């Protein structure tokens, strides 16, 4: 399953709302869609699993939504520590695959 | 606390092999699969497959079949990933990650990454 993320880069200011898109080449089964955040020099961090469930310790400004083949990660109000690269991942069908990433940068 | 600690950076010649270790602590090692994910410099994430740490069963995507081998030693709670026939485009950071028992949750704990340079 190919995942296509858009936009490639999002330039926003702290306090603004970020909306990231992830589109799959086919329907993702069992809502098996996750989002990860990665900062330079660090491993990815699980943010959202099962489309809309926040992982342990993830602030509630992060939310996931969508169904079928179209999914969205929303950050309601960007904090300085949120600027990073975000990846979607499907884990409903082997091989698990990632999108190419969306970089959220400070405007 | 729950953590995965990987072995250190390696520099290899083309055609050589590399074996990376991933030591688990803070949880029952055999309760969770271990996945391997790699990242080329400045690029995205790529799944390399996984190992069932209980049975030893493995899954490798087609593009890695014949070149990657994942094993584990349950006595010391450590998973291994060996990649053979190294090419320049194998250069990158290799991560291990835990796939917990819940089928709803994917990779919740990640190792710090191991840099592999083919040069």
């Amino acid at each position: 399953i190919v995942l296509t993320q858009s936009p490639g880069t999002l330039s926003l200011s702290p306090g603004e709302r970020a909306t990231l898109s992830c589109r799959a080449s086919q329907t993702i089964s069992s809502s098996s869609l996750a989002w990860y955040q990665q900062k330079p020099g660090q491993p990815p961090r699980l943010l959202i699993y099962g489309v809309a469930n926040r992982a342990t310790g993830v602030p509630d400004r992060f939310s996931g939504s969508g169904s079928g083949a179209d999914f969205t990660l929303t950050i309601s109000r960007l904090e300085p520590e949120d600027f990073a690269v975000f990846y979607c991942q499907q884990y409903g069908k082997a091989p698990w695959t990632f999108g190419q990433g969306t970089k959220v940068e400070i405007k | 606390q729950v953590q995965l600690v990987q072995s250190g950076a390696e520099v290899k010649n083309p055609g050589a092999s590399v074996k990376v270790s991933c030591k688990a602590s803070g949880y029952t090692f055999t309760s969770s699969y271990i996945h391997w994910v790699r990242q080329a410099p400045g690029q995205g994430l790529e799944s390399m497959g996984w190992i069932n740490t209980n049975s030893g069963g493995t899954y490798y995507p087609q593009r890695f079949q014949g070149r990657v081998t994942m094993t584990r030693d349950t006595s010391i709670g450590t998973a291994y990933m060996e990649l053979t026939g190294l090419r320049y485009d194998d250069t990158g950071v290799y991560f291990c990650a835990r796939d917990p028992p819940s089928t709803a949750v994917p990779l919740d704990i990640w190792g710090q990454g191991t840099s592999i340079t083919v040069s």
Side-chain angles (χ1 to χ4, degrees), chain B residues 4-10 18-24 29 34-36 69 71-73 76-83 94-97 111-116:
Chain B
L4 299 172
V5 178
Q6 299 182 222
S7 49
E10 305 251 19
V18 67
K19 190 171 185 177
V20 181
S21 68
C22 172
K23 182 168 178 59
F29 177 68
I34 292 290
H35 289 236
W36 291 88
T69 304
T71 56
R72 91 289 189 222
D73 184 337
I76 58 172
T78 300
Y80 302 92
M81 186 282 299
E82 183 174 26
L83 189 62
Y94 289 70
F95 298 99
C96 62
Q112 82 276 20
T114 296
S115 174
I116 305 296

PDB file of all heavy atoms in Angstrom, chain B residues 4-10 18-24 29 34-36 69 71-73 76-83 94-97 111-116:
ATOM      1  N   LEU B   4      14.710   0.067  24.326  1.00  0.00           N
ATOM      2  CA  LEU B   4      15.471  -0.738  23.393  1.00  0.00           C
ATOM      3  C   LEU B   4      16.803  -0.029  23.181  1.00  0.00           C
ATOM      4  O   LEU B   4      16.819   1.157  22.832  1.00  0.00           O
ATOM      5  CB  LEU B   4      14.736  -0.881  22.061  1.00  0.00           C
ATOM      6  CG  LEU B   4      13.363  -1.551  22.108  1.00  0.00           C
ATOM      7  CD1 LEU B   4      12.662  -1.453  20.755  1.00  0.00           C
ATOM      8  CD2 LEU B   4      13.494  -3.012  22.522  1.00  0.00           C
ATOM      9  N   VAL B   5      17.901  -0.747  23.379  1.00  0.00           N
ATOM     10  CA  VAL B   5      19.227  -0.164  23.220  1.00  0.00           C
ATOM     11  C   VAL B   5      19.961  -0.910  22.114  1.00  0.00           C
ATOM     12  O   VAL B   5      20.123  -2.134  22.173  1.00  0.00           O
ATOM     13  CB  VAL B   5      20.023  -0.209  24.530  1.00  0.00           C
ATOM     14  CG1 VAL B   5      21.419   0.362  24.312  1.00  0.00           C
ATOM     15  CG2 VAL B   5      19.304   0.577  25.623  1.00  0.00           C
ATOM     16  N   GLN B   6      20.394  -0.156  21.104  1.00  0.00           N
ATOM     17  CA  GLN B   6      21.027  -0.746  19.929  1.00  0.00           C
ATOM     18  C   GLN B   6      22.545  -0.662  20.010  1.00  0.00           C
ATOM     19  O   GLN B   6      23.112   0.151  20.755  1.00  0.00           O
ATOM     20  CB  GLN B   6      20.533  -0.045  18.664  1.00  0.00           C
ATOM     21  CG  GLN B   6      19.025  -0.163  18.457  1.00  0.00           C
ATOM     22  CD  GLN B   6      18.552   0.497  17.176  1.00  0.00           C
ATOM     23  OE1 GLN B   6      17.520   1.172  17.157  1.00  0.00           O
ATOM     24  NE2 GLN B   6      19.261   0.298  16.076  1.00  0.00           N
ATOM     25  N   SER B   7      23.195  -1.487  19.200  1.00  0.00           N
ATOM     26  CA  SER B   7      24.645  -1.486  19.113  1.00  0.00           C
ATOM     27  C   SER B   7      25.127  -0.235  18.362  1.00  0.00           C
ATOM     28  O   SER B   7      24.331   0.516  17.785  1.00  0.00           O
ATOM     29  CB  SER B   7      25.128  -2.757  18.426  1.00  0.00           C
ATOM     30  OG  SER B   7      24.414  -2.986  17.222  1.00  0.00           O
ATOM     31  N   GLY B   8      26.440  -0.035  18.408  1.00  0.00           N
ATOM     32  CA  GLY B   8      27.024   1.196  17.901  1.00  0.00           C
ATOM     33  C   GLY B   8      27.200   1.250  16.395  1.00  0.00           C
ATOM     34  O   GLY B   8      26.985   0.273  15.675  1.00  0.00           O
ATOM     35  N   ALA B   9      27.635   2.432  15.959  1.00  0.00           N
ATOM     36  CA  ALA B   9      27.796   2.699  14.536  1.00  0.00           C
ATOM     37  C   ALA B   9      28.823   1.778  13.894  1.00  0.00           C
ATOM     38  O   ALA B   9      29.770   1.315  14.549  1.00  0.00           O
ATOM     39  CB  ALA B   9      28.199   4.160  14.336  1.00  0.00           C
ATOM     40  N   GLU B  10      28.612   1.521  12.609  1.00  0.00           N
ATOM     41  CA  GLU B  10      29.509   0.638  11.858  1.00  0.00           C
ATOM     42  C   GLU B  10      29.851   1.291  10.516  1.00  0.00           C
ATOM     43  O   GLU B  10      29.026   1.988   9.925  1.00  0.00           O
ATOM     44  CB  GLU B  10      28.814  -0.698  11.583  1.00  0.00           C
ATOM     45  CG  GLU B  10      28.286  -1.413  12.820  1.00  0.00           C
ATOM     46  CD  GLU B  10      29.095  -2.641  13.147  1.00  0.00           C
ATOM     47  OE1 GLU B  10      30.236  -2.753  12.662  1.00  0.00           O
ATOM     48  OE2 GLU B  10      28.567  -3.495  13.897  1.00  0.00           O
ATOM     49  N   VAL B  18      26.672  -6.791   7.848  1.00  0.00           N
ATOM     50  CA  VAL B  18      26.626  -6.098   9.133  1.00  0.00           C
ATOM     51  C   VAL B  18      25.530  -6.734   9.973  1.00  0.00           C
ATOM     52  O   VAL B  18      24.504  -7.169   9.451  1.00  0.00           O
ATOM     53  CB  VAL B  18      26.354  -4.580   8.945  1.00  0.00           C
ATOM     54  CG1 VAL B  18      24.954  -4.302   8.413  1.00  0.00           C
ATOM     55  CG2 VAL B  18      26.597  -3.812  10.232  1.00  0.00           C
ATOM     56  N   LYS B  19      25.785  -6.800  11.282  1.00  0.00           N
ATOM     57  CA  LYS B  19      24.799  -7.355  12.206  1.00  0.00           C
ATOM     58  C   LYS B  19      24.583  -6.364  13.330  1.00  0.00           C
ATOM     59  O   LYS B  19      25.529  -5.991  14.020  1.00  0.00           O
ATOM     60  CB  LYS B  19      25.274  -8.703  12.759  1.00  0.00           C
ATOM     61  CG  LYS B  19      24.208  -9.462  13.539  1.00  0.00           C
ATOM     62  CD  LYS B  19      24.686 -10.873  13.850  1.00  0.00           C
ATOM     63  CE  LYS B  19      23.603 -11.712  14.516  1.00  0.00           C
ATOM     64  NZ  LYS B  19      24.045 -13.109  14.757  1.00  0.00           N
ATOM     65  N   VAL B  20      23.350  -5.911  13.490  1.00  0.00           N
ATOM     66  CA  VAL B  20      22.986  -4.919  14.494  1.00  0.00           C
ATOM     67  C   VAL B  20      22.177  -5.599  15.596  1.00  0.00           C
ATOM     68  O   VAL B  20      21.300  -6.424  15.310  1.00  0.00           O
ATOM     69  CB  VAL B  20      22.152  -3.782  13.844  1.00  0.00           C
ATOM     70  CG1 VAL B  20      21.772  -2.727  14.874  1.00  0.00           C
ATOM     71  CG2 VAL B  20      22.918  -3.146  12.687  1.00  0.00           C
ATOM     72  N   SER B  21      22.473  -5.244  16.833  1.00  0.00           N
ATOM     73  CA  SER B  21      21.723  -5.818  17.952  1.00  0.00           C
ATOM     74  C   SER B  21      20.783  -4.791  18.571  1.00  0.00           C
ATOM     75  O   SER B  21      20.994  -3.573  18.449  1.00  0.00           O
ATOM     76  CB  SER B  21      22.677  -6.366  19.016  1.00  0.00           C
ATOM     77  OG  SER B  21      23.367  -5.305  19.639  1.00  0.00           O
ATOM     78  N   CYS B  22      19.777  -5.299  19.256  1.00  0.00           N
ATOM     79  CA  CYS B  22      18.735  -4.476  19.849  1.00  0.00           C
ATOM     80  C   CYS B  22      18.329  -5.145  21.163  1.00  0.00           C
ATOM     81  O   CYS B  22      17.653  -6.179  21.153  1.00  0.00           O
ATOM     82  CB  CYS B  22      17.561  -4.388  18.881  1.00  0.00           C
ATOM     83  SG  CYS B  22      16.049  -3.611  19.493  1.00  0.00           S
ATOM     84  N   LYS B  23      18.795  -4.589  22.290  1.00  0.00           N
ATOM     85  CA  LYS B  23      18.537  -5.213  23.595  1.00  0.00           C
ATOM     86  C   LYS B  23      17.336  -4.574  24.273  1.00  0.00           C
ATOM     87  O   LYS B  23      17.298  -3.347  24.468  1.00  0.00           O
ATOM     88  CB  LYS B  23      19.769  -5.114  24.493  1.00  0.00           C
ATOM     89  CG  LYS B  23      19.557  -5.795  25.854  1.00  0.00           C
ATOM     90  CD  LYS B  23      20.819  -5.952  26.623  1.00  0.00           C
ATOM     91  CE  LYS B  23      20.549  -6.592  27.974  1.00  0.00           C
ATOM     92  NZ  LYS B  23      19.918  -7.941  27.832  1.00  0.00           N
ATOM     93  N   ALA B  24      16.390  -5.405  24.641  1.00  0.00           N
ATOM     94  CA  ALA B  24      15.157  -4.938  25.270  1.00  0.00           C
ATOM     95  C   ALA B  24      15.259  -5.018  26.785  1.00  0.00           C
ATOM     96  O   ALA B  24      15.904  -5.931  27.328  1.00  0.00           O
ATOM     97  CB  ALA B  24      13.979  -5.774  24.786  1.00  0.00           C
ATOM     98  N   PHE B  29      10.311  -9.732  27.001  1.00  0.00           N
ATOM     99  CA  PHE B  29      10.835  -9.675  25.624  1.00  0.00           C
ATOM    100  C   PHE B  29       9.973 -10.461  24.649  1.00  0.00           C
ATOM    101  O   PHE B  29       9.698 -10.006  23.535  1.00  0.00           O
ATOM    102  CB  PHE B  29      12.271 -10.211  25.631  1.00  0.00           C
ATOM    103  CG  PHE B  29      12.919 -10.291  24.283  1.00  0.00           C
ATOM    104  CD1 PHE B  29      13.237  -9.140  23.569  1.00  0.00           C
ATOM    105  CD2 PHE B  29      13.236 -11.522  23.707  1.00  0.00           C
ATOM    106  CE1 PHE B  29      13.849  -9.201  22.327  1.00  0.00           C
ATOM    107  CE2 PHE B  29      13.853 -11.594  22.468  1.00  0.00           C
ATOM    108  CZ  PHE B  29      14.158 -10.431  21.774  1.00  0.00           C
ATOM    109  N   ILE B  34       9.551  -7.610  17.279  1.00  0.00           N
ATOM    110  CA  ILE B  34      10.513  -6.538  17.036  1.00  0.00           C
ATOM    111  C   ILE B  34      10.560  -6.282  15.530  1.00  0.00           C
ATOM    112  O   ILE B  34      10.734  -7.223  14.735  1.00  0.00           O
ATOM    113  CB  ILE B  34      11.917  -6.874  17.552  1.00  0.00           C
ATOM    114  CG1 ILE B  34      11.942  -6.925  19.080  1.00  0.00           C
ATOM    115  CG2 ILE B  34      12.947  -5.865  17.037  1.00  0.00           C
ATOM    116  CD1 ILE B  34      11.786  -5.582  19.774  1.00  0.00           C
ATOM    117  N   HIS B  35      10.377  -5.033  15.159  1.00  0.00           N
ATOM    118  CA  HIS B  35      10.477  -4.609  13.765  1.00  0.00           C
ATOM    119  C   HIS B  35      11.799  -3.879  13.552  1.00  0.00           C
ATOM    120  O   HIS B  35      12.368  -3.316  14.481  1.00  0.00           O
ATOM    121  CB  HIS B  35       9.340  -3.634  13.420  1.00  0.00           C
ATOM    122  CG  HIS B  35       7.997  -4.267  13.338  1.00  0.00           C
ATOM    123  ND1 HIS B  35       7.193  -4.173  12.216  1.00  0.00           N
ATOM    124  CD2 HIS B  35       7.302  -5.009  14.235  1.00  0.00           C
ATOM    125  CE1 HIS B  35       6.058  -4.813  12.436  1.00  0.00           C
ATOM    126  NE2 HIS B  35       6.099  -5.333  13.651  1.00  0.00           N
ATOM    127  N   TRP B  36      12.241  -3.884  12.301  1.00  0.00           N
ATOM    128  CA  TRP B  36      13.403  -3.093  11.896  1.00  0.00           C
ATOM    129  C   TRP B  36      12.972  -2.131  10.803  1.00  0.00           C
ATOM    130  O   TRP B  36      12.274  -2.510   9.852  1.00  0.00           O
ATOM    131  CB  TRP B  36      14.526  -4.004  11.425  1.00  0.00           C
ATOM    132  CG  TRP B  36      15.123  -4.806  12.542  1.00  0.00           C
ATOM    133  CD1 TRP B  36      14.712  -6.026  12.998  1.00  0.00           C
ATOM    134  CD2 TRP B  36      16.231  -4.424  13.372  1.00  0.00           C
ATOM    135  NE1 TRP B  36      15.492  -6.417  14.061  1.00  0.00           N
ATOM    136  CE2 TRP B  36      16.432  -5.467  14.309  1.00  0.00           C
ATOM    137  CE3 TRP B  36      17.080  -3.310  13.419  1.00  0.00           C
ATOM    138  CZ2 TRP B  36      17.439  -5.419  15.271  1.00  0.00           C
ATOM    139  CZ3 TRP B  36      18.074  -3.271  14.371  1.00  0.00           C
ATOM    140  CH2 TRP B  36      18.252  -4.310  15.291  1.00  0.00           C
ATOM    141  N   THR B  69      18.419 -11.064   7.505  1.00  0.00           N
ATOM    142  CA  THR B  69      18.068 -12.152   8.416  1.00  0.00           C
ATOM    143  C   THR B  69      17.861 -11.573   9.805  1.00  0.00           C
ATOM    144  O   THR B  69      18.738 -10.864  10.314  1.00  0.00           O
ATOM    145  CB  THR B  69      19.170 -13.224   8.468  1.00  0.00           C
ATOM    146  OG1 THR B  69      19.422 -13.715   7.151  1.00  0.00           O
ATOM    147  CG2 THR B  69      18.750 -14.379   9.374  1.00  0.00           C
ATOM    148  N   THR B  71      17.050 -12.457  13.787  1.00  0.00           N
ATOM    149  CA  THR B  71      17.105 -13.529  14.780  1.00  0.00           C
ATOM    150  C   THR B  71      16.914 -12.931  16.165  1.00  0.00           C
ATOM    151  O   THR B  71      16.839 -11.704  16.318  1.00  0.00           O
ATOM    152  CB  THR B  71      18.452 -14.269  14.721  1.00  0.00           C
ATOM    153  OG1 THR B  71      19.514 -13.307  14.901  1.00  0.00           O
ATOM    154  CG2 THR B  71      18.652 -14.977  13.382  1.00  0.00           C
ATOM    155  N   ARG B  72      16.826 -13.812  17.157  1.00  0.00           N
ATOM    156  CA  ARG B  72      16.728 -13.308  18.525  1.00  0.00           C
ATOM    157  C   ARG B  72      17.338 -14.306  19.483  1.00  0.00           C
ATOM    158  O   ARG B  72      17.481 -15.498  19.164  1.00  0.00           O
ATOM    159  CB  ARG B  72      15.275 -12.993  18.906  1.00  0.00           C
ATOM    160  CG  ARG B  72      14.448 -14.127  19.565  1.00  0.00           C
ATOM    161  CD  ARG B  72      14.113 -15.206  18.591  1.00  0.00           C
ATOM    162  NE  ARG B  72      13.156 -16.145  19.176  1.00  0.00           N
ATOM    163  CZ  ARG B  72      13.219 -17.460  19.040  1.00  0.00           C
ATOM    164  NH1 ARG B  72      14.195 -18.016  18.291  1.00  0.00           N
ATOM    165  NH2 ARG B  72      12.310 -18.237  19.585  1.00  0.00           N
ATOM    166  N   ASP B  73      17.765 -13.817  20.638  1.00  0.00           N
ATOM    167  CA  ASP B  73      18.270 -14.655  21.720  1.00  0.00           C
ATOM    168  C   ASP B  73      17.395 -14.325  22.926  1.00  0.00           C
ATOM    169  O   ASP B  73      17.567 -13.268  23.551  1.00  0.00           O
ATOM    170  CB  ASP B  73      19.747 -14.351  21.992  1.00  0.00           C
ATOM    171  CG  ASP B  73      20.350 -15.263  23.042  1.00  0.00           C
ATOM    172  OD1 ASP B  73      19.587 -15.819  23.871  1.00  0.00           O
ATOM    173  OD2 ASP B  73      21.582 -15.395  23.058  1.00  0.00           O
ATOM    174  N   ILE B  76      18.815 -13.493  26.591  1.00  0.00           N
ATOM    175  CA  ILE B  76      19.349 -12.171  26.935  1.00  0.00           C
ATOM    176  C   ILE B  76      18.463 -11.044  26.407  1.00  0.00           C
ATOM    177  O   ILE B  76      18.874  -9.879  26.433  1.00  0.00           O
ATOM    178  CB  ILE B  76      20.798 -11.999  26.409  1.00  0.00           C
ATOM    179  CG1 ILE B  76      20.872 -12.200  24.891  1.00  0.00           C
ATOM    180  CG2 ILE B  76      21.752 -12.947  27.141  1.00  0.00           C
ATOM    181  CD1 ILE B  76      22.236 -11.849  24.305  1.00  0.00           C
ATOM    182  N   GLY B  77      17.278 -11.379  25.916  1.00  0.00           N
ATOM    183  CA  GLY B  77      16.321 -10.356  25.487  1.00  0.00           C
ATOM    184  C   GLY B  77      16.840  -9.468  24.378  1.00  0.00           C
ATOM    185  O   GLY B  77      16.641  -8.244  24.389  1.00  0.00           O
ATOM    186  N   THR B  78      17.467 -10.065  23.395  1.00  0.00           N
ATOM    187  CA  THR B  78      18.109  -9.289  22.331  1.00  0.00           C
ATOM    188  C   THR B  78      17.689  -9.800  20.957  1.00  0.00           C
ATOM    189  O   THR B  78      17.654 -11.009  20.728  1.00  0.00           O
ATOM    190  CB  THR B  78      19.635  -9.336  22.463  1.00  0.00           C
ATOM    191  OG1 THR B  78      20.010  -8.787  23.735  1.00  0.00           O
ATOM    192  CG2 THR B  78      20.314  -8.536  21.365  1.00  0.00           C
ATOM    193  N   ALA B  79      17.365  -8.837  20.076  1.00  0.00           N
ATOM    194  CA  ALA B  79      17.061  -9.138  18.688  1.00  0.00           C
ATOM    195  C   ALA B  79      18.212  -8.669  17.814  1.00  0.00           C
ATOM    196  O   ALA B  79      18.936  -7.726  18.178  1.00  0.00           O
ATOM    197  CB  ALA B  79      15.762  -8.452  18.266  1.00  0.00           C
ATOM    198  N   TYR B  80      18.369  -9.334  16.676  1.00  0.00           N
ATOM    199  CA  TYR B  80      19.459  -9.020  15.757  1.00  0.00           C
ATOM    200  C   TYR B  80      18.921  -8.875  14.337  1.00  0.00           C
ATOM    201  O   TYR B  80      17.973  -9.558  13.944  1.00  0.00           O
ATOM    202  CB  TYR B  80      20.506 -10.133  15.761  1.00  0.00           C
ATOM    203  CG  TYR B  80      21.104 -10.417  17.115  1.00  0.00           C
ATOM    204  CD1 TYR B  80      20.543 -11.391  17.936  1.00  0.00           C
ATOM    205  CD2 TYR B  80      22.226  -9.724  17.573  1.00  0.00           C
ATOM    206  CE1 TYR B  80      21.072 -11.658  19.193  1.00  0.00           C
ATOM    207  CE2 TYR B  80      22.767  -9.989  18.816  1.00  0.00           C
ATOM    208  CZ  TYR B  80      22.189 -10.952  19.620  1.00  0.00           C
ATOM    209  OH  TYR B  80      22.714 -11.209  20.856  1.00  0.00           O
ATOM    210  N   MET B  81      19.586  -8.004  13.580  1.00  0.00           N
ATOM    211  CA  MET B  81      19.280  -7.841  12.163  1.00  0.00           C
ATOM    212  C   MET B  81      20.596  -7.884  11.402  1.00  0.00           C
ATOM    213  O   MET B  81      21.485  -7.076  11.661  1.00  0.00           O
ATOM    214  CB  MET B  81      18.564  -6.516  11.916  1.00  0.00           C
ATOM    215  CG  MET B  81      18.063  -6.296  10.484  1.00  0.00           C
ATOM    216  SD  MET B  81      19.323  -5.801   9.300  1.00  0.00           S
ATOM    217  CE  MET B  81      19.869  -4.254  10.024  1.00  0.00           C
ATOM    218  N   GLU B  82      20.717  -8.866  10.497  1.00  0.00           N
ATOM    219  CA  GLU B  82      21.912  -8.976   9.677  1.00  0.00           C
ATOM    220  C   GLU B  82      21.565  -8.661   8.236  1.00  0.00           C
ATOM    221  O   GLU B  82      20.604  -9.206   7.680  1.00  0.00           O
ATOM    222  CB  GLU B  82      22.529 -10.369   9.779  1.00  0.00           C
ATOM    223  CG  GLU B  82      23.827 -10.495   8.982  1.00  0.00           C
ATOM    224  CD  GLU B  82      24.523 -11.825   9.186  1.00  0.00           C
ATOM    225  OE1 GLU B  82      23.838 -12.816   9.514  1.00  0.00           O
ATOM    226  OE2 GLU B  82      25.762 -11.873   9.014  1.00  0.00           O
ATOM    227  N   LEU B  83      22.344  -7.787   7.625  1.00  0.00           N
ATOM    228  CA  LEU B  83      22.164  -7.411   6.225  1.00  0.00           C
ATOM    229  C   LEU B  83      23.436  -7.761   5.477  1.00  0.00           C
ATOM    230  O   LEU B  83      24.535  -7.363   5.881  1.00  0.00           O
ATOM    231  CB  LEU B  83      21.847  -5.923   6.110  1.00  0.00           C
ATOM    232  CG  LEU B  83      21.429  -5.384   4.732  1.00  0.00           C
ATOM    233  CD1 LEU B  83      20.140  -6.049   4.258  1.00  0.00           C
ATOM    234  CD2 LEU B  83      21.262  -3.864   4.776  1.00  0.00           C
ATOM    235  N   TYR B  94      19.550   2.630  11.122  1.00  0.00           N
ATOM    236  CA  TYR B  94      18.698   1.452  11.274  1.00  0.00           C
ATOM    237  C   TYR B  94      18.122   1.445  12.690  1.00  0.00           C
ATOM    238  O   TYR B  94      18.866   1.543  13.669  1.00  0.00           O
ATOM    239  CB  TYR B  94      19.500   0.186  11.009  1.00  0.00           C
ATOM    240  CG  TYR B  94      19.855   0.027   9.542  1.00  0.00           C
ATOM    241  CD1 TYR B  94      20.788   0.872   8.931  1.00  0.00           C
ATOM    242  CD2 TYR B  94      19.247  -0.942   8.747  1.00  0.00           C
ATOM    243  CE1 TYR B  94      21.093   0.765   7.585  1.00  0.00           C
ATOM    244  CE2 TYR B  94      19.548  -1.073   7.399  1.00  0.00           C
ATOM    245  CZ  TYR B  94      20.468  -0.206   6.828  1.00  0.00           C
ATOM    246  OH  TYR B  94      20.768  -0.319   5.482  1.00  0.00           O
ATOM    247  N   PHE B  95      16.800   1.359  12.747  1.00  0.00           N
ATOM    248  CA  PHE B  95      16.084   1.373  14.026  1.00  0.00           C
ATOM    249  C   PHE B  95      15.425   0.025  14.282  1.00  0.00           C
ATOM    250  O   PHE B  95      14.878  -0.596  13.355  1.00  0.00           O
ATOM    251  CB  PHE B  95      14.968   2.421  14.025  1.00  0.00           C
ATOM    252  CG  PHE B  95      15.401   3.848  13.858  1.00  0.00           C
ATOM    253  CD1 PHE B  95      15.317   4.466  12.617  1.00  0.00           C
ATOM    254  CD2 PHE B  95      15.871   4.579  14.935  1.00  0.00           C
ATOM    255  CE1 PHE B  95      15.693   5.798  12.455  1.00  0.00           C
ATOM    256  CE2 PHE B  95      16.254   5.907  14.785  1.00  0.00           C
ATOM    257  CZ  PHE B  95      16.166   6.513  13.540  1.00  0.00           C
ATOM    258  N   CYS B  96      15.435  -0.406  15.535  1.00  0.00           N
ATOM    259  CA  CYS B  96      14.532  -1.469  15.943  1.00  0.00           C
ATOM    260  C   CYS B  96      13.372  -0.817  16.696  1.00  0.00           C
ATOM    261  O   CYS B  96      13.509   0.287  17.246  1.00  0.00           O
ATOM    262  CB  CYS B  96      15.225  -2.513  16.802  1.00  0.00           C
ATOM    263  SG  CYS B  96      15.892  -1.919  18.374  1.00  0.00           S
ATOM    264  N   ALA B  97      12.230  -1.467  16.693  1.00  0.00           N
ATOM    265  CA  ALA B  97      11.051  -0.912  17.349  1.00  0.00           C
ATOM    266  C   ALA B  97      10.170  -2.039  17.847  1.00  0.00           C
ATOM    267  O   ALA B  97      10.080  -3.099  17.218  1.00  0.00           O
ATOM    268  CB  ALA B  97      10.274  -0.005  16.385  1.00  0.00           C
ATOM    269  N   GLY B 111      14.356   1.957  19.399  1.00  0.00           N
ATOM    270  CA  GLY B 111      15.746   2.091  19.775  1.00  0.00           C
ATOM    271  C   GLY B 111      16.292   3.432  19.312  1.00  0.00           C
ATOM    272  O   GLY B 111      15.629   4.168  18.552  1.00  0.00           O
ATOM    273  N   GLN B 112      17.505   3.723  19.738  1.00  0.00           N
ATOM    274  CA  GLN B 112      18.100   5.040  19.443  1.00  0.00           C
ATOM    275  C   GLN B 112      18.624   5.140  18.011  1.00  0.00           C
ATOM    276  O   GLN B 112      18.919   6.233  17.544  1.00  0.00           O
ATOM    277  CB  GLN B 112      19.226   5.363  20.443  1.00  0.00           C
ATOM    278  CG  GLN B 112      20.574   4.730  20.129  1.00  0.00           C
ATOM    279  CD  GLN B 112      20.732   3.306  20.630  1.00  0.00           C
ATOM    280  OE1 GLN B 112      19.757   2.613  20.905  1.00  0.00           O
ATOM    281  NE2 GLN B 112      21.994   2.868  20.738  1.00  0.00           N
ATOM    282  N   GLY B 113      18.710   3.991  17.335  1.00  0.00           N
ATOM    283  CA  GLY B 113      19.219   3.983  15.964  1.00  0.00           C
ATOM    284  C   GLY B 113      20.688   3.607  15.906  1.00  0.00           C
ATOM    285  O   GLY B 113      21.463   3.910  16.817  1.00  0.00           O
ATOM    286  N   THR B 114      21.043   2.921  14.836  1.00  0.00           N
ATOM    287  CA  THR B 114      22.432   2.536  14.576  1.00  0.00           C
ATOM    288  C   THR B 114      22.803   3.033  13.188  1.00  0.00           C
ATOM    289  O   THR B 114      22.131   2.681  12.198  1.00  0.00           O
ATOM    290  CB  THR B 114      22.594   1.008  14.654  1.00  0.00           C
ATOM    291  OG1 THR B 114      22.304   0.561  15.978  1.00  0.00           O
ATOM    292  CG2 THR B 114      24.003   0.597  14.251  1.00  0.00           C
ATOM    293  N   SER B 115      23.841   3.827  13.106  1.00  0.00           N
ATOM    294  CA  SER B 115      24.302   4.353  11.819  1.00  0.00           C
ATOM    295  C   SER B 115      25.185   3.322  11.121  1.00  0.00           C
ATOM    296  O   SER B 115      26.148   2.823  11.708  1.00  0.00           O
ATOM    297  CB  SER B 115      25.075   5.651  12.033  1.00  0.00           C
ATOM    298  OG  SER B 115      25.642   6.098  10.817  1.00  0.00           O
ATOM    299  N   ILE B 116      24.808   3.013   9.892  1.00  0.00           N
ATOM    300  CA  ILE B 116      25.604   2.113   9.059  1.00  0.00           C
ATOM    301  C   ILE B 116      26.082   2.915   7.854  1.00  0.00           C
ATOM    302  O   ILE B 116      25.276   3.496   7.121  1.00  0.00           O
ATOM    303  CB  ILE B 116      24.773   0.911   8.578  1.00  0.00           C
ATOM    304  CG1 ILE B 116      24.151   0.172   9.753  1.00  0.00           C
ATOM    305  CG2 ILE B 116      25.634  -0.025   7.714  1.00  0.00           C
ATOM    306  CD1 ILE B 116      25.141  -0.463  10.688  1.00  0.00           C
TER     307      ILE B 116
END
